[in-house]
Amino acid sequence: MISRRGLLFASGGAVTAATLAGPVAGSSRAAGAAPPDPARKAAALIMARRILLTDADHNDLTLDYLKLLTGRQRLRKTESRDVLVVGAGVAGMVCARLLQAAGHRVRVLEANRSRVGGRVKTFRGDVWQDPRLHAEAGAMRIPSSHVLTLALADHLKVPRRPFDLVDLPPEPDQVSDDSRVVYKSWTGEEFASGEAPVYVAPKGLGNRFVHVNGQTVSKADYNADPGPINKSFGWDSGQTTAAAFDKALDTARAYTMTKNPDGSWTDKPIAERVTGMADLLYDMDGYSLLRYLQEGEGWSDAQIQAVGTLENLTSRLSYGFLHSVFDAGDINPSVTYFEFNAGTDALTEALAADLAIERGRVVTRVRTDDDGVTVTAEPETGPEDEACDGAIGGQAREYRADMVVLAVPFAALRHVDFEPLLPYGKRRAINELKHDTAHKVLLEFTERWWEWDEATWREKLGSDYRPAPHGDAVAAVGGGCVSDEASRFVYFPSHPSDGGAPGGVVLAAYNWAEDALRFDALTPADRHTEALEHLTGLYGERIRHYVTDRHVSQSWLRNRWALGEAVIETPGQLLSLGPHVATPVNGRLFFAGDHCQPRYHAWISGAIASGTEAAVQVADTA
């Protein structure tokens, strides 16, 4: 993945980078550019503050939210109100808990009959041949910089441990316990939780594979000599794809950070950072990632294909450039990650405790009047995923509330009737925001063969032993492979199996965007076949000795209530639609979900931030 961290938003962080480039040609700052557009400037400032989680007075909202989430601070005390929260995902439940703690009467409606959690979903139990196992259909890793998620989990006493994005020796097992979570605000105040030292992940072995254009090498070999793989794309360069993309982000980085004499980067003061972020949005919101790399950085098609393939950018080249900038600090080997010991749904189950949640209630109508809001909900039947049977309908029920928080994806709100109509900007955002997709295929194995060296393989297989196709096996946990085949990315578990189970579950195919659509179109059986074929191509037919007949795939596009993985804006949508996304309507309707927090789309942290923001908005309005 991409070797970079912090980028525009690290608090006090630093990034090593190459020579700084100026604003791209054709931007609003270029010679001969059109006069500034005041409305677009205003939208850029609104979105800059939302991305940096600050306000007009440069208060640090991350710091405020941390205090609210951990009980160190309470919402403003107001008259108790009846509040209905629609959606029992992370955002909805965070909002409901904060409002309930402040004395409001809160009910939560959830469309899904079988579970809460939204796109946090853990496969466990009789899904697997060994019911002790679990694996993630959705959210699976939390970057150490996502302090809202980690601090909330610590507050709820949800144990966590390292998630290894790179491969590590299988022994000893790495344990983080209550490793310290530290947030240093630009105000000078520091928030911390946990008693153990800050956990720092060890350096990876680099023995997982890069498999592209018919060549297969270890990641360590690629990093030592990138030339042969790069040339297979037609890009004659000795630079790694991670380093190339990191350098390409210098143009964006310079808007909000200062380059130091030693080549590192430091955040500008918050007022300058807000101004810089607003300028960045104004200048580049109209750029796709492809356009930025071609026009701004002068990249050839060959370089774009090489970097795009190895750094998981190809499927999103047509999306807004800024999403790739924001994501760059979250998914890369230099970041420390965590996972929850008992599965990610341990967090959502903890959030659901003590909340009044009615499941199997699909909201179909929202009517607002001078005295409050009436919500109509109907029951549903059928499975949540890829449902070819079942329906919404039956005995409708009406719910009356003073205020309603709509904490569901905008793709779902398209199927809700509003009376009166929502404001035009809000309707546009609901109808037009790009919802991306993601797809996972998970395979169960009776033995953890990825933790074996070649001697162990010989011992296990005896007379059936055959050598591996790409060199001797190296014992490791965690990490993953990248490929240009349909499966694209493979991840191995970094945790021991629950209850001492001898086997484990491999994420054998993980895809986004156009790559995911190809898997969405297959039957579940064909997905399994293709993912297993790809895995055997990397590690040999010998792994078939240990695969079970249990497999599961998750298409978030074909999930009835998610209707996609996350909002990923297309060029121009951050400024044209972004300011309308989280804006309350008439002091009665409020909105939450990771789509409402533009810095953290598709992350639990975005859902937490937006749920907290919605709770603050309700409390300030009540």
Side-chain angles (χ1 to χ4, degrees):
M1 304 299 287
I2 303 164
S3 180
R4 57 207 184 276
R5 71 178 301 180
L7 291 175
L8 312 181
F9 316 107
S11 179
V15 180
T16 301
T19 305
L20 176 66
V24 296
S27 77
S28 66
R29 295 183 170 189
D37 179 343
R40 198 162 178 270
K41 284 280 189 184
L45 182 58
I46 289 170
M47 295 308 293
R49 290 171 177 156
R50 294 195 61 75
I51 289 166
L52 295 171
L53 280 170
T54 188
D55 58 19
D57 298 319
H58 300 133
N59 292 310
D60 187 342
L61 300 184
T62 296
L63 187 62
D64 291 346
Y65 292 174
L66 283 168
K67 294 175 182 178
L68 286 169
L69 291 164
T70 56
R72 302 183 192 184
Q73 187 172 299
R74 296 284 185 182
L75 294 173
R76 187 173 71 89
K77 187 66 176 177
T78 62
E79 179 184 349
S80 181
R81 298 287 189 179
D82 290 312
V83 182
L84 188 67
V85 176
V86 179
V90 171
M93 291 193 290
V94 164
C95 181
R97 289 178 66 90
L98 291 173
L99 291 171
Q100 186 168 278
H104 297 282
R105 298 177 294 274
V106 183
R107 289 176 293 178
V108 182
L109 302 184
E110 167 57 40
N112 198 323
R113 286 178 297 119
S114 61
R115 63 179 184 86
V116 299
R119 280 164 287 145
V120 171
K121 178 181 179 183
T122 304
F123 290 120
R124 61 173 76 253
D126 59 8
V127 169
W128 308 114
Q129 179 175 292
D130 188 333
R132 291 173 290 183
L133 301 178
H134 74 264
E136 303 302 336
M140 65 181 183
R141 56 193 170 190
I142 303 99
S144 54
S145 59
H146 287 199
V147 292
L148 294 178
T149 307
L150 297 173
L152 175 61
D154 288 352
H155 179 67
L156 294 174
K157 302 188 185 311
V158 179
R160 55 185 164 89
R161 62 191 172 200
F163 176 99
D164 301 321
L165 196 69
V166 296
D167 54 324
L168 299 173
E171 298 291 345
D173 183 47
Q174 299 290 333
V175 179
S176 69
D177 296 322
D178 61 343
S179 63
R180 195 166 175 80
V181 175
V182 179
Y183 175 73
K184 296 180 180 179
S185 172
W186 59 75
T187 67
E189 187 174 350
E190 181 176 291
F191 174 96
S193 68
E195 299 300 327
V198 174
Y199 174 76
V200 179
K203 185 179 180 181
L205 297 171
N207 284 304
R208 302 303 187 202
F209 292 126
V210 173
H211 173 76
V212 294
N213 300 324
Q215 299 184 44
T216 305
V217 300
S218 72
K219 290 186 175 182
D221 286 344
Y222 171 74
N223 288 332
D225 183 15
I229 289 290
N230 292 345
K231 286 180 181 178
S232 73
F233 290 93
W235 180 39
D236 189 6
S237 173
Q239 188 178 37
T240 66
T241 55
F245 190 63
D246 184 67
K247 182 179 184 299
L249 295 177
D250 281 357
T251 300
R253 186 179 288 123
Y255 280 83
T256 59
M257 303 182 81
T258 300
K259 190 175 184 182
N260 302 314
D262 64 357
S264 64
W265 293 78
T266 302
D267 286 335
K268 293 179 180 178
I270 185 59
E272 294 179 37
R273 208 179 331 160
V274 170
T275 300
M277 178 61 71
D279 288 343
L280 172 66
L281 292 167
Y282 188 91
D283 288 349
M284 297 189 190
D285 182 42
Y287 278 71
S288 67
L289 177 59
L290 178 62
R291 182 188 173 198
Y292 174 83
L293 295 175
Q294 287 178 329
E295 297 182 12
E297 300 301 313
W299 282 21
S300 66
D301 286 346
Q303 183 175 359
I304 289 170
Q305 288 304 310
V307 177
T309 300
L310 270 63
E311 306 303 324
N312 203 13
L313 301 171
T314 306
S315 62
R316 287 178 169 171
L317 285 171
S318 63
Y319 293 4
F321 158 67
L322 292 172
H323 173 77
S324 295
V325 175
F326 300 158
D327 236 16
D330 294 319
I331 306 178
N332 71 82
S334 65
V335 173
T336 298
Y337 297 86
F338 295 96
E339 63 182 5
F340 298 119
N341 298 17
T344 312
D345 65 355
L347 176 66
T348 52
E349 290 300 318
L351 284 171
D354 302 322
L355 288 178
I357 302 174
E358 294 185 35
R359 298 193 305 203
R361 295 291 177 183
V362 183
V363 171
T364 56
R365 187 184 183 201
V366 177
R367 179 171 57 84
T368 306
D369 56 44
D370 292 339
D371 298 319
V373 186
T374 301
V375 171
T376 303
E378 300 180 21
E380 57 92 12
T381 59
E384 66 171 294
D385 288 309
E386 308 187 59
C388 297
D389 56 5
I392 300 168
Q395 183 63 47
R397 181 174 175 182
E398 289 190 346
Y399 298 82
R400 187 70 178 169
D402 296 308
M403 299 165 176
V404 172
V405 179
L406 296 159
V408 297
F410 273 12
L413 286 187
R414 293 194 70 178
H415 301 281
V416 178
D417 292 327
F418 287 89
E419 182 185 331
L421 287 176
L422 294 173
Y424 177 64
K426 181 74 73 176
R427 285 186 284 127
R428 276 194 64 210
I430 290 171
N431 292 340
E432 297 176 23
L433 273 176
K434 169 67 177 177
H435 286 73
D436 201 19
T437 187
H439 196 114
K440 288 184 174 182
V441 182
L442 296 141
L443 306 182
E444 181 186 17
F445 292 89
T446 59
E447 298 266 6
R448 297 171 69 86
W449 53 263
W450 50 92
E451 297 182 9
W452 297 347
D453 58 18
E454 202 65 23
T456 305
W457 274 105
R458 289 189 178 92
E459 178 186 340
K460 291 281 188 178
L461 293 179
S463 61
D464 290 332
Y465 169 78
R466 298 292 184 276
H470 303 297
D472 287 352
V474 177
V477 297
C481 305
V482 58
S483 169
D484 58 1
E485 294 186 10
S487 291
R488 290 293 279 130
F489 288 87
V490 174
Y491 284 97
F492 294 94
S494 52
H495 57 261
S497 295
D498 297 321
V505 180
V506 174
L507 176 50
Y510 186 23
N511 300 290
W512 295 344
E514 294 299 320
D515 290 334
L517 289 177
R518 298 182 179 100
F519 264 91
D520 288 343
L522 300 176
T523 66
D526 284 343
R527 296 168 189 165
H528 164 259
T529 298
E530 186 152 346
L532 182 57
E533 288 288 341
H534 176 244
L535 203 58
T536 58
L538 292 174
Y539 289 95
E541 290 291 324
R542 61 193 190 176
I543 70 173
R544 292 183 187 271
H545 286 273
Y546 305 104
V547 69
T548 76
D549 62 353
R550 301 296 181 91
H551 55 87
V552 66
S553 60
Q554 180 67 52
S555 167
W556 286 109
L557 183 67
R558 300 180 71 176
N559 180 280
R560 293 171 74 187
W561 314 124
L563 299 165
E565 180 234 2
V567 163
I568 309 294
E569 291 91 352
T570 56
Q573 286 192 336
L574 266 173
L575 295 191
S576 64
L577 303 179
H580 304 287
V581 172
T583 306
V585 175
N586 297 328
R588 297 287 185 186
L589 302 181
F590 301 82
F591 300 84
D594 64 286
H595 53 283
C596 294
Q597 217 309 304
R599 169 62 183 90
Y600 295 109
H601 289 336
W603 292 100
I604 294 174
S605 189
I608 293 172
S610 73
T612 307
E613 179 187 40
V616 171
Q617 291 172 336
V618 170
D620 287 348
T621 305

